Amino acid sequence: MGKELVTAVFSPHDRVLFRRRVRRGLDALTGMLEEGRIEAGDRTTGLEIEINLVDAEAAPAMRNAEVLADLADPRFQLELGRFNLELNVPPRSLAGDGLGDYEREILQALRAAGDSARKRETRLILIGMLPTLTAGQLVLGDISDNERFRALDAEIAGARGDAFRIDIQGPERLLTSSDTIAPEGACTSAQFHLRVAPADFARYWNASQAIAGVQLALGANAPFLYRRRLWAETRIPFFEQATDARPDEFAAQGVRPRVWFGDRWIDSILDLYEENVRYFPPLLPELGEEDPVAVLAAGGTPELPELRLHNGTVYRWNRPVYDVAGGRPHLRVENRVLPSGPTVADMLANAAFYFGLVRQLAEEDPPLWVCLDFAAAEAGFRTGARDGIEARLFWPGLGEVPVTDLVRDVLLPRAHSGLDRYGVHPAHRDRFLGIIEDRCRTRRNGAVWQSETVRTVQERGLDRAVALREMTQRYLEFQRTNEPVHTWPI
């Protein structure tokens, strides 16, 4: 979620100064792009994986601080809920054995974290939403002890001025409300970072937006919340509603939500940062010491702390990122669409499909988005989240088709080509994209396995709460094998 804040108390003067600093940061970023001061660099990638902690009964275990202290590994950090952790995997190239290196490092890190968790009588689970959660476990007291999280809660709840109301209609319906953003902790994701050249950023972001619905349909892993079966990827509507800072009147006026798909294709990364400044008031007006324009004029590389902090509080499903590593600035697309889990192999299959497909689509002429309406891309995003692997999605030249046919016939060959452009070893390419193909062939992803398993358990006469607990226990067992979810027995 970002750095620890120095203070969580902000004055009106802080907000005025912060707005000015954000705009000055945007001026500096514009200058850097115009002067070619942001380098293309290597096409490196990165991963962030959010994790849940559970007890012996597969219920959430509010012990992340204790586990983190025992683990003492800088790759791990706290997340919003006391039962959440996040693993930040160091960036690397996909060339050669890059995907295999990711798998080895993630498995090793999770084993070490699992050892620390067991000392606290907890276990790790990679899943989009923990099926055993109840509303009583997502309250203000269950937010992690972190100034940033407390400040976000105060700012978002204060801006809304009313309870956050949740209304999700799937096979069953969820109607609930909360006076805090703590329910956001139910949403655990796997985020992919892709470093791109400034001149290429718009193409990669547009391509990422175009395939977001396909990603969700293939990777859905969150069908249950508060004991109800909802969307295949319930994380999407729940996150949007559980953090909506707009009063009802603002929503009725068309004010944009902070959790946002967007409303147009872009020509430059500046389009996104300018929208952030134009549409969204600051939430965390923490002031730094830097004058970015002065740093730039002196030949230095500005960190742009206010612009980056503000960008981090606009929750685009594909987020622009300006960052500085080793004194050298670069740009990334942060793909935030997918859930965590079910296994490391499944997540890396999702990553291989995303990285390969986006690269191929970004480098094709004419680009896909010339003949794909942005509204159709957003509709596909929601259809993929709602219907999962049973979704029918629109694709230019094909019309509305089953997502499994679209992937196997049209998109997997492109993903193969994109991974070849990265120089991925054919064994890794074929293994991970083979998982995607088999998922389409069997029509089984994490959401399908969870739903079918719960239905099977309930057919034995057990109630939903017991069925969810038994399913989650089985999920934990199969996850440890690292065998992809389409191979798991029901």
Side-chain angles (χ1 to χ4, degrees):
M1 288 275 304
K3 65 164 188 162
E4 176 82 24
L5 294 181
V6 174
T7 179
V9 179
F10 306 108
S11 70
H13 185 59
D14 290 334
R15 297 178 193 279
V16 171
L17 287 179
F18 188 84
R19 282 185 168 91
R20 292 175 183 168
R21 296 275 189 89
V22 167
R23 292 188 177 95
R24 198 158 175 82
L26 182 57
D27 290 342
L29 179 61
T30 301
M32 294 177 77
L33 289 167
E34 289 175 348
E35 298 169 14
R37 298 277 292 272
I38 302 178
E39 58 187 46
D42 298 328
R43 297 177 185 268
T44 52
T45 62
L47 276 74
E48 298 175 54
I49 301 170
E50 294 172 350
I51 304 161
N52 288 312
L53 301 175
V54 295
D55 62 20
E57 298 300 315
M62 308 296 179
R63 300 168 195 156
N64 62 358
E66 296 95 322
V67 172
L68 193 65
D70 183 83
L71 183 57
D73 184 336
R75 294 174 297 179
F76 288 87
Q77 64 183 29
L78 298 176
E79 258 297 332
L80 181 70
R82 291 184 183 272
F83 60 98
N84 304 142
L85 288 174
E86 181 176 86
L87 167 61
N88 294 284
V89 188
R92 71 203 62 204
S93 168
L94 295 180
D97 292 329
L99 286 169
D101 291 341
Y102 266 134
E103 184 173 34
R104 284 187 289 274
E105 177 164 351
I106 295 168
L107 288 172
Q108 177 274 326
L110 292 176
R111 280 193 294 269
D115 291 342
S116 293
R118 278 190 291 276
K119 296 176 184 177
R120 303 292 176 174
E121 299 181 333
T122 67
R123 294 172 290 173
L124 311 181
I125 183 169
L126 309 170
I127 198 164
M129 304 186 91
L130 185 59
T132 54
L133 274 169
T134 65
Q137 295 158 331
L138 293 168
V139 297
L140 186 59
D142 293 323
I143 291 179
S144 293
D145 187 16
N146 178 288
E147 286 290 343
R148 179 182 172 89
F149 300 139
R150 288 193 292 271
L152 273 174
D153 181 77
E155 292 290 319
I156 294 176
R160 181 165 177 83
D162 197 358
F164 300 93
R165 290 187 291 277
I166 312 296
D167 185 355
I168 304 174
Q169 178 72 59
E172 298 166 11
R173 188 178 187 183
L174 174 65
L175 283 169
T176 188
S177 65
S178 173
D179 59 2
T180 171
I181 66 167
E184 182 195 332
C187 305
T188 40
S189 65
Q191 299 159 24
F192 305 146
H193 289 253
L194 179 57
R195 181 170 173 173
V196 297
D200 297 334
F201 183 91
R203 280 180 166 259
Y204 278 82
W205 188 86
N206 289 342
S208 297
Q209 292 284 95
I211 67 164
V214 177
Q215 286 183 275
L216 282 168
L218 291 176
N221 193 33
F224 292 102
L225 181 65
Y226 297 172
R227 299 178 182 172
R228 289 172 175 82
R229 184 182 166 209
L230 302 168
W231 287 20
E233 187 54 36
T234 304
R235 197 180 107 262
I236 299 299
F238 189 74
F239 185 64
E240 290 176 336
Q241 296 178 38
T243 57
D244 192 348
R246 301 172 300 171
D248 292 344
E249 299 86 353
F250 284 13
Q253 294 169 32
V255 172
R256 290 159 177 82
R258 296 190 90 97
V259 182
W260 193 31
F261 186 79
D263 56 17
R264 64 184 176 118
W265 306 118
I266 66 168
D267 298 313
S268 164
I269 191 174
L270 290 176
D271 294 342
L272 302 178
Y273 277 103
E274 287 168 353
E275 286 178 349
N276 288 356
V277 174
R278 186 183 316 125
Y279 297 143
F280 303 105
L283 279 183
L284 300 174
E286 178 81 10
L287 296 167
E289 300 295 328
E290 178 185 85
D291 180 342
V293 174
V295 171
L296 192 61
T301 299
E303 296 282 343
L304 309 183
E306 290 86 6
L307 186 68
R308 291 164 66 186
L309 179 57
H310 184 55
N311 183 59
T313 64
V314 179
Y315 303 99
R316 296 177 185 270
W317 293 108
N318 284 293
R319 178 188 277 166
V321 176
Y322 166 89
D323 205 354
V324 180
R328 302 162 68 183
H330 67 268
L331 304 179
R332 301 195 304 270
V333 177
E334 181 186 4
N335 179 253
R336 302 161 48 81
V337 168
L338 286 169
S340 186
T343 65
V344 174
D346 282 304
M347 289 188 291
L348 287 174
N350 294 338
F353 181 74
Y354 169 75
F355 289 133
L357 181 57
V358 163
R359 172 138 190 201
Q360 183 65 26
L361 292 177
E363 298 185 8
E364 286 183 352
D365 278 311
L368 169 68
W369 44 98
V370 169
C371 49
L372 177 63
D373 187 77
F374 192 91
E378 182 173 12
F381 171 77
R382 305 206 174 277
T383 299
R386 185 189 66 233
D387 299 340
I389 210 158
E390 299 300 323
R392 295 178 62 87
L393 301 180
F394 176 82
W395 196 259
L398 298 178
E400 191 176 276
V401 295
V403 69
T404 50
D405 293 347
L406 173 63
V407 170
R408 296 177 77 184
D409 298 340
V410 178
L411 301 184
L412 269 175
R414 283 184 162 101
H416 273 265
S417 297
L419 292 183
D420 287 343
R421 288 174 184 257
Y422 281 112
V424 173
H425 193 289
H428 299 307
R429 177 201 64 197
D430 294 346
R431 178 187 169 218
F432 289 116
L433 293 185
I435 290 172
I436 298 296
E437 182 171 14
D438 287 343
R439 213 185 282 168
C440 291
R441 177 182 51 80
T442 59
R443 304 178 76 88
R444 181 182 292 171
N445 57 14
V448 171
W449 185 89
Q450 289 188 54
S451 299
E452 289 184 354
T453 300
V454 167
R455 176 181 53 79
T456 300
V457 174
Q458 287 193 266
E459 287 173 351
R460 292 170 15 210
L462 300 177
D463 67 21
R464 174 63 62 81
V466 174
L468 288 170
R469 185 170 65 248
E470 184 169 321
M471 179 273 287
T472 306
Q473 297 280 23
R474 289 172 60 82
Y475 186 105
L476 282 159
E477 293 172 11
F478 292 133
Q479 186 173 88
R480 283 194 287 269
T481 69
N482 199 35
E483 293 296 325
V485 70
H486 72 268
T487 68
W488 294 5
I490 300 298

